[in-house]
Amino acid sequence: MNFTVANLIDQLPAQEQLSLSTLEQALGLGSPSEQQQLRIALTALVRVGVLQETDQGISRVEDEDLIEARLRCSSKGFCFALREDGGEDIYIRDNQLNHAWNGDRVLVRITREGGRRRSPEGGVQCILERNTTSLLAQVEQHNERLLAVPLDDRLLTNIELPSTDSQYLKPADEAVVEVRVDRYPVGQLPSQGHVARSLAVNAGPEADLDLLITKHGLRELPAAPRATLKSTESKDREDLTALPTFLLQLWSSVEAPILPAVSLESSETGHKLWVHAPAVAERLGFAGALDLHLRDQAEALCLGGSWIPMLPANLTKAAAFKAGSSEAALSVVLELSPEGDLQHYRFCRSTIKPDGVVDAKALTALAERKPKARTTPAALKALKDQLPLLEQLIALAEVLRQKRLASGSIDLDLAMPAIEGLGDLAVPEPDESRQGWLVQLDPATEPAGLLRELVLPAHRALGRHLCALELPAIYAVNPAPEAEALNDVAKAALALEIPLELSADGNATAQELAQAFAGSDRCRVLQQQLRDPLKPVSFSAEAGANALAGETTALAPWCCPGLHYADLWNQHVLSLLLSEGKDRPSVRHKTRVDIAGDSSHGLIDWPLLPPSQIQPLEEGRSIALLHRLNGRCRFAADLQADALAMAQARQAEPLVGQTLTGVISGVQSYGFFVEVPPSQVEGLVHVSSLKDDWYEYRSRQNRLVGRKNRRSYMLGDAVEVTIQKVDVLRHQIDLAVVLPEGYEEYTPDAAEQDGPDESGDSELNGGEE
C-alpha cells in the first residue's frame, strides 16, 4: 500500500465523519488499484473495531481501551508496548503479538490490569505502522526452506527467501545480506522477502559505515525537492552588526548542522544575553514542498565522522553564520539577574556580524592561560580583543548551569568514551533533546557545555512567550521521574552502603541521588542505574514542564533549525509573529503593544494573526506530525547507540584472549555485566561460567552470592575478566571472570538446589535471561 494504517487514521478528525472521496484525496490516492487497497483496509479496520462506517462517512471509534503504543521486544521474547501518552508500559505475551514486530506502532487493548509490582498485560489489536522494511540478516538453509535470520534478535521471526537467493549462503564472519521485506506475516502465511545485496563484514571503517546505514534504512534517502529559497527581508530588521558576537564550534565535520551565535552586554541589573539563531524559516515557505520534506526528515543524523544533514546544502550555505560576514538572524535578548533568573526578553529579526569562532582549543587555552600573562596563545590570537567578553560569557554560563541544577535538572558524568573514530558523535548536541538527563560538561573548556547553558534560556523564553500568546508552538516536555522508580535506585544504593538523606516522606529525588552518587567510588554504575527512571523528552502541542531544562511552564526549542525540525517549526511561528502579527486591535487604535516581548502578556485580547495564517499552523501541528518527530528522535538515539556499540566492539576485537580489569555495571539472575575501560565496552559474564560455586541472585542487593565460599559479585565491584568472543554485528561481548587459582568445580546436591535463600529474594544458577 502507498499509505499506512497510521496515515489513514491520522486523516480522520476526532468525532467527525469523512467521506470516502475526501479520504482518498487526503491520502493522494488516484488510481483504481490504490482506491481498492483503501477499501480493503477500511473493511478490515471496521471489523476489528478501530473505525466505523455509515452512509454519512467514515470515523474513528472512540474506545478508551485501545491504546496507541510502540513495541519494544527483547531477544528472549519479552515484549512491552510503550505508550505514546507516557502511561505505564504494557506487557505483551508472544501469543498476543498478532504478527507485530519490534518497533512497530500498534493499537493495544489491555486484558489484565497491573499491580504494584506487575505491569498491565494486553494484546495487539491493530498494527498501525511497520518499523522494519529492510534488515540485515544471515542466509541459512533449514531443510527445504531458505531463510533470512535477522541479526537483530529482537525481531522474533525469520523471513522466507526464494531459492535463487541460495547464492548468498556464506559464513557469518565473511558477509551478511540486506533483505527487503516483500510480505509481512498474514494469518498462517509467513513473512517473505528477497536479498537486495551482500555486505562485507570485516572490510574496514567504510564497510562498517555501510552496515550501519543499511541496518537503519538510510542507504537510499529521498532527495530534497528543488525549491527557490526566499531572500530575507531587510525591512524592520534590527542592525546588531556592531554587537560583539561569537560563534561556537562544536563539531569538525563539514556536514555538521549550523548552530546559533551569542553576544553579551552588561546592564544595571545584571546581563543582557543575546542568542542569534540562523534564519532558516524565513528562507522557505511554510508547508511548501521543501518544508514538508524536512518534516519527514525531522532530524540531522550523526554517524560519527560524518552526518546525514536535515537541511539541503543550498539552504545550509545560505543561512549559516560566518565570521566577519553580515548575516540575517532571528534573535532574542534575555535580561538576566546576577543569579541567573530570566527577568525579561524580547525577540526580533536582526542582522549580525560574528567576530570570531570559539572552539575547544580556544577554551582550553583560555582556561590554562595565567591571569597576568603578557603573551596570547596562538589559539586565542583571533579573539584577542574579545577575551574579556568571552570570560564573562563563561562565568554567566556557569551561573546558569548552577541555576538549572538547582531547579531540578540532572547532569550525569556519562560522556562518550574516548574512542578514535567516534568523531562528532563524542560531542553532545547543545540541547540534547532525546534523553531526560544531560552529559556533565564544563562550560569553561567545552564549547558544547558553554552553548548549552546559553541556548536553554532562549528556548524557555520562546516557550513562555508562545504559550502566553496562545500560538501553535511545538513544546518540548519532560515530566519528572516516578517516585517508585527512583526509590528502587535508592534501595540499590543503600544496599551498597551509599549514605543517603531522604526527604520527610521517605522518598529520594533524582537530584538527591545524583549528589549522593557523585561522591561515591561507585559513581558511574550508580549514575547508569539513575538514568533509567529519567523520562525522555517528547514533543507536544500542549505546554508543560521540562525537568531537563529546569523549566516549569513551557519550553519551545528554536535555535537549532539545522538539527531538529521542531526548532524550524517554532521559527516559522516566531517569524510569522514578528512579520505579520497585529500589535493593536485596529488601525484606529494609536497605542501599540510590543508583541515581540514579555511586556505584552495579559494585554492582548484580539487575534494576533488572521485565520488564513493561523489555520495552516493549527492544522499542520497534527498528532501525526508529533508522532513523526518523536519517532525520529528515538530513531536518531538508536542510530547513535548502534554507532557507539559498533565502535566499542571493534575496539574490543584485538583484546580477545586478554585479561583486563573491569567494573560490574549490572547484575541479573543469569550473570553480571562488566564494563571494561578505556572504551567502556560492556560484556556479559554468564552465571554458567562461574564453576567455583553455586550462585544465588539477590535482587534487592544487586549481587550474586556463592553458597559455599560466600564470594559475591556486586554492582560496582572491580573484577578481572577475559574477553572470550566479540560479535561486532550483534554488539555482543562474551566475558569470563578470572577464578581463583586451584578452584574446584562445585556441583550442588539436590537438597542444596532446592533449599530456600535466607533473604527470601533469590534465584539460582541458570535463571532465565
Side-chain angles (χ1 to χ4, degrees):
M1 293 190 300
N2 294 327
F3 59 90
T4 66
V5 174
N7 295 149
L8 192 162
I9 294 176
D10 288 338
Q11 297 299 328
L12 298 173
Q15 300 177 342
E16 190 175 329
Q17 292 182 320
L18 213 64
S19 67
L20 181 60
S21 60
T22 304
L23 184 57
E24 290 172 346
Q25 185 178 3
L27 292 170
L29 308 180
S31 68
S33 61
E34 292 174 335
Q35 293 169 355
Q36 179 63 24
Q37 289 177 340
L38 175 61
R39 170 49 58 191
I40 294 172
L42 290 174
T43 301
L45 292 171
V46 169
R47 287 182 178 177
V48 298
V50 175
L51 301 181
Q52 58 185 2
E53 186 173 9
T54 66
D55 294 339
Q56 285 72 38
I58 304 151
S59 61
R60 303 182 201 173
V61 172
E62 297 298 326
D63 189 344
E64 294 181 355
D65 293 331
L66 281 178
I67 298 168
E68 197 164 310
R70 190 170 294 273
L71 276 185
R72 183 184 65 191
C73 299
S74 75
S75 59
K76 301 302 177 182
F78 301 117
C79 291
F80 285 87
L82 278 60
R83 298 173 60 153
E84 298 283 358
D85 60 7
E88 189 175 4
D89 297 345
I90 304 166
Y91 177 57
I92 311 292
R93 297 182 182 273
D94 55 358
N95 63 343
Q96 294 292 324
L97 285 172
N98 291 327
H99 298 310
W101 292 353
N102 179 61
D104 288 349
R105 188 175 157 198
V106 295
L107 284 177
V108 173
R109 188 181 298 278
I110 292 181
T111 56
R112 181 178 177 181
E113 295 295 334
R116 183 175 177 272
R117 288 188 170 272
R118 187 186 71 236
S119 299
E121 294 186 19
V124 174
Q125 194 78 2
C126 175
I127 299 173
L128 296 174
E129 188 173 23
R130 289 288 189 177
N131 180 64
T132 303
T133 57
S134 65
L135 50 92
L136 291 179
Q138 182 69 34
V139 179
E140 296 181 6
Q141 186 76 49
H142 288 225
N143 298 323
E144 300 299 320
R145 302 169 67 203
L146 191 67
L147 298 178
V149 181
L151 294 184
D152 186 348
D153 51 12
R154 297 172 300 174
L155 293 174
L156 309 173
T157 185
N158 294 327
I159 298 174
E160 288 195 351
L161 300 175
S163 58
T164 53
D165 282 344
S166 59
Q167 59 180 308
Y168 297 104
L169 283 164
K170 294 181 180 180
D173 58 350
E174 291 183 9
V176 295
V177 296
E178 177 189 3
V179 174
R180 302 282 176 86
V181 180
D182 298 323
R183 183 186 72 191
Y184 295 99
V186 178
Q188 301 301 315
L189 300 176
S191 55
Q192 291 182 342
H194 69 278
V195 174
R197 64 189 184 115
S198 179
L199 293 88
V201 173
N202 297 303
E206 291 298 323
D208 283 354
L209 180 60
D210 192 16
L211 287 167
L212 181 68
I213 63 176
T214 301
K215 176 181 178 180
H216 291 272
L218 298 171
R219 200 167 65 88
E220 298 177 1
L221 294 174
R226 291 186 178 182
T228 301
L229 300 181
K230 296 181 178 180
S231 299
T232 55
E233 293 286 343
S234 57
K235 182 182 178 182
D236 298 328
R237 202 165 211 104
E238 294 192 25
D239 186 357
L240 302 177
T241 54
L243 189 66
T245 301
F246 293 110
L247 292 175
L248 294 171
Q249 183 174 310
L250 276 59
W251 301 301
S252 58
S253 173
V254 295
E255 306 105 341
I258 53 179
L259 291 170
V262 293
S263 310
L264 185 65
E265 293 180 293
S266 297
S267 69
E268 295 180 357
T269 58
H271 299 282
K272 286 186 177 181
L273 171 65
W274 288 85
V275 179
H276 316 284
V280 174
E282 291 186 64
R283 290 177 162 86
L284 71 159
F286 177 76
L290 179 55
D291 190 47
L292 294 177
H293 169 79
L294 297 178
R295 292 185 198 181
D296 195 53
Q297 298 301 108
E299 294 278 324
L301 304 173
C302 184
L303 302 173
S306 61
W307 288 76
I308 298 177
M310 183 182 76
L311 304 180
N314 63 334
L315 182 52
T316 296
K317 183 178 180 180
F321 297 145
K322 296 173 280 292
S325 176
S326 297
E327 307 290 347
L330 286 171
S331 300
V332 62
V333 57
L334 307 163
E335 295 186 25
L336 302 166
S337 71
E339 296 75 29
D341 293 309
L342 179 57
Q343 296 177 322
H344 299 289
Y345 51 83
R346 186 180 183 277
F347 297 89
C348 66
R349 295 187 299 163
S350 65
T351 302
I352 67 169
K353 187 178 181 180
D355 293 276
V357 177
V358 179
D359 58 13
K361 290 182 180 179
L363 288 182
T364 301
L366 184 60
E368 295 175 351
R369 186 189 186 202
K370 295 180 180 179
K372 297 183 180 180
R374 294 183 179 181
T375 59
T376 303
L380 295 173
K381 285 186 177 180
L383 303 168
K384 183 178 179 180
D385 296 336
Q386 289 85 30
L387 289 183
L389 184 62
L390 180 57
E391 290 175 332
Q392 291 178 42
L393 268 176
I394 293 170
L396 175 60
E398 181 58 31
V399 170
L400 292 171
R401 176 176 175 270
Q402 295 302 327
K403 180 71 177 178
R404 172 175 59 79
L405 293 174
S407 300
S409 183
I410 296 291
D411 281 6
L412 299 179
D413 189 13
L414 297 176
M416 289 275 191
I419 299 178
E420 185 179 357
L422 279 184
D424 290 349
L425 200 63
V427 181
E429 296 173 3
D431 55 355
E432 296 183 85
S433 61
R434 301 183 186 115
Q435 53 197 12
W437 55 277
L438 296 170
V439 175
Q440 184 174 304
L441 297 173
D442 184 359
T445 58
E446 296 169 284
L450 177 57
L451 185 59
R452 170 207 289 167
E453 305 304 339
L454 304 177
V455 161
L456 283 176
H459 290 179
R460 285 200 291 269
L462 186 64
R464 295 177 185 179
H465 196 51
L466 298 184
C467 179
L469 300 183
E470 299 182 352
L471 292 176
I474 291 179
Y475 299 100
V477 297
N478 176 228
E482 296 175 359
E484 185 175 349
L486 289 176
N487 283 343
D488 288 340
V489 178
K491 290 174 184 176
L494 290 171
L496 297 173
E497 299 182 350
I498 305 298
L500 293 177
E501 293 184 8
L502 303 181
S503 59
D505 58 4
N507 294 323
T509 67
Q511 293 76 26
E512 291 168 342
L513 292 175
Q515 292 171 3
F517 297 165
S520 166
D521 59 352
R522 299 172 191 258
C523 175
R524 180 175 175 84
V525 294
L526 287 170
Q527 287 190 344
Q528 289 171 333
Q529 302 293 314
L530 177 59
R531 69 184 176 186
D532 292 335
L534 301 178
K535 295 181 180 295
V537 176
S538 61
F539 295 121
S540 171
E542 302 295 329
N546 188 303
L548 182 73
E551 171 59 32
T552 58
T553 305
L555 186 139
W558 63 282
C559 295
C560 303
L563 266 174
H564 317 293
Y565 182 80
D567 292 59
L568 180 54
W569 174 279
N570 288 328
Q571 273 204 9
H572 278 305
V573 179
L574 177 59
S575 296
L576 194 61
L577 172 67
L578 296 177
S579 61
E580 304 294 336
K582 295 176 62 178
D583 57 5
R584 49 185 171 166
S586 69
V587 294
R588 294 190 300 272
H589 288 75
K590 295 183 178 181
T591 304
R592 298 173 183 265
V593 173
D594 185 10
I595 61 174
D598 62 309
S599 62
S600 64
H601 298 178
L603 302 178
I604 300 172
D605 57 2
W606 61 88
L608 280 170
L609 298 169
S612 61
Q613 293 175 332
I614 197 71
Q615 188 173 353
L617 286 168
E618 292 175 338
E619 292 177 351
R621 192 186 57 170
S622 62
I623 294 176
L625 175 62
L626 296 172
H627 281 323
R628 176 66 181 174
L629 299 184
N630 286 321
R632 292 295 286 179
C633 271
R634 290 189 294 267
F635 175 86
D638 289 344
L639 175 67
Q640 292 190 3
D642 267 359
L644 172 61
M646 179 172 283
Q648 289 176 310
R650 287 299 187 197
Q651 289 277 310
E653 273 187 315
L655 304 178
V656 171
Q658 294 187 26
T659 299
L660 303 167
T661 299
V663 176
I664 296 178
S665 56
V667 183
Q668 297 293 335
S669 61
Y670 50 84
F672 53 88
F673 294 91
V674 178
E675 197 175 63
V676 181
S679 67
Q680 306 298 353
V681 64
E682 192 176 59
L684 173 67
V685 175
H686 199 275
V687 71
S688 61
S689 69
L690 303 175
K691 304 293 187 181
D692 64 321
D693 205 343
W694 188 261
Y695 284 86
E696 299 169 343
Y697 173 51
R698 299 184 180 178
S699 60
R700 295 176 188 172
Q701 301 170 358
N702 267 298
R703 63 176 177 169
L704 291 170
V705 181
R707 280 197 163 193
K708 180 181 178 182
N709 57 32
R710 313 309 295 174
R711 183 177 294 111
S712 69
Y713 295 100
M714 183 182 293
L715 188 71
D717 283 352
V719 292
E720 284 195 330
V721 293
T722 301
I723 298 180
Q724 294 186 316
K725 181 182 177 183
V726 176
D727 188 333
V728 173
L729 296 176
R730 292 181 173 84
H731 311 153
Q732 293 175 352
I733 317 295
D734 293 340
L735 304 175
V737 72
V738 177
L739 295 171
E741 291 186 11
Y743 78 90
E744 295 182 4
E745 187 166 330
Y746 180 71
T747 304
D749 57 31
E752 286 181 296
Q753 292 188 43
D754 295 335
D757 175 62
E758 65 269 20
S759 71
D761 182 33
S762 71
E763 297 177 33
L764 303 181
N765 290 45
E768 290 298 322
E769 295 185 35

